[in-house]
Amino acid sequence: MPYLIAAVLLLALLGLFNLALTFGVARRLRERPASPAGEGRDRASGLAAGAPVGAFSAVDTDGRTLTHEDLPDGLMVVFVSPGCPACEETLPHVVERAREYGRARVLAVVIRDGDEPGDIAPYVERLTPVARVAVTDMGGELTTAFDLKGLPAYAEMGADGRVAGTGRILPRRPVRDQDRASAGV
């Protein structure tokens, strides 16, 4: 009988120790500061919100020169590549969302695969009606300017050529009062 009492007391002490550790971990997690939006493993760009886009110069598929000074507030910059399975999967969603934003508010950057150029033509064809399109290589001026970390990716431009936010999938365009008025809603 004394062994049974000792075993029950030992188990009770272990349970209390486990409970104290659990409360300690929970408290530490609550005290930890929250990460700003867009930071963490899934961040598409190394640029944090408020960071300026680096200098670059590129030519779009219409033959117009594009620089970091041509990135107005509210512009969505989308990065996709034919060599990226996730890009292929999300391309229809990117096209749909770009259509919601309007061609003037979306820059689609199609990234060629370095060693294997791949067929970028289908991407350019699908994106041209809904976005301004530029083609570049990974590690080129455009991807370096945005400190691109992975694909697919987007960056929303804020004021003064600074990044307002980044992510992996182009968000839905917020419906504004002026949009509702023009739609007759």
Side-chain angles (χ1 to χ4, degrees):
M1 187 69 150
Y3 293 112
L4 184 58
I5 293 171
V8 170
L9 286 175
L10 180 63
L11 287 175
L13 288 174
L14 283 173
L16 288 173
F17 180 69
N18 186 23
L19 186 62
L21 285 177
T22 303
F23 281 130
V25 168
R27 188 184 70 210
R28 294 278 308 256
L29 287 174
R30 271 184 285 169
E31 291 173 355
R32 206 170 102 195
S35 301
E39 292 205 15
R41 290 180 303 167
D42 201 31
R43 204 160 126 204
S45 171
L47 298 178
V53 172
F56 68 87
S57 179
V59 177
D60 68 12
T61 55
D62 295 331
R64 296 181 297 174
T65 301
L66 173 69
T67 68
H68 66 283
E69 295 161 350
D70 298 322
L71 303 174
D73 186 9
L75 179 76
M76 284 295 187
V77 184
V78 182
F79 296 89
V80 291
S81 175
C84 161
C87 297
E88 292 176 20
E89 185 179 309
T90 62
L91 185 61
H93 302 293
V94 169
V95 170
E96 173 191 331
R97 302 269 170 80
R99 190 173 286 119
E100 291 173 8
Y101 277 84
R103 190 173 196 275
R105 294 198 50 217
V106 179
L107 169 63
V109 180
V110 179
I111 301 171
R112 293 182 288 249
D113 244 346
D115 297 335
E116 299 175 25
D119 191 10
I120 62 169
Y123 277 65
V124 172
E125 287 174 14
R126 289 190 69 186
L127 291 166
T128 297
V130 296
R132 185 175 180 184
V133 179
V135 178
T136 190
D137 295 314
M138 187 59 113
E141 286 186 44
L142 257 171
T143 58
T144 302
F146 282 89
D147 194 18
L148 194 64
K149 299 291 184 195
L151 294 169
Y154 83 88
E156 180 180 6
M157 296 306 303
D160 302 324
R162 295 182 179 277
V163 172
T166 63
R168 295 278 180 200
I169 299 173
L170 191 61
R172 290 211 179 270
R173 180 173 168 245
V175 178
R176 298 181 180 145
D177 292 335
Q178 62 193 16
D179 294 337
R180 288 186 185 123
S182 65
V185 177

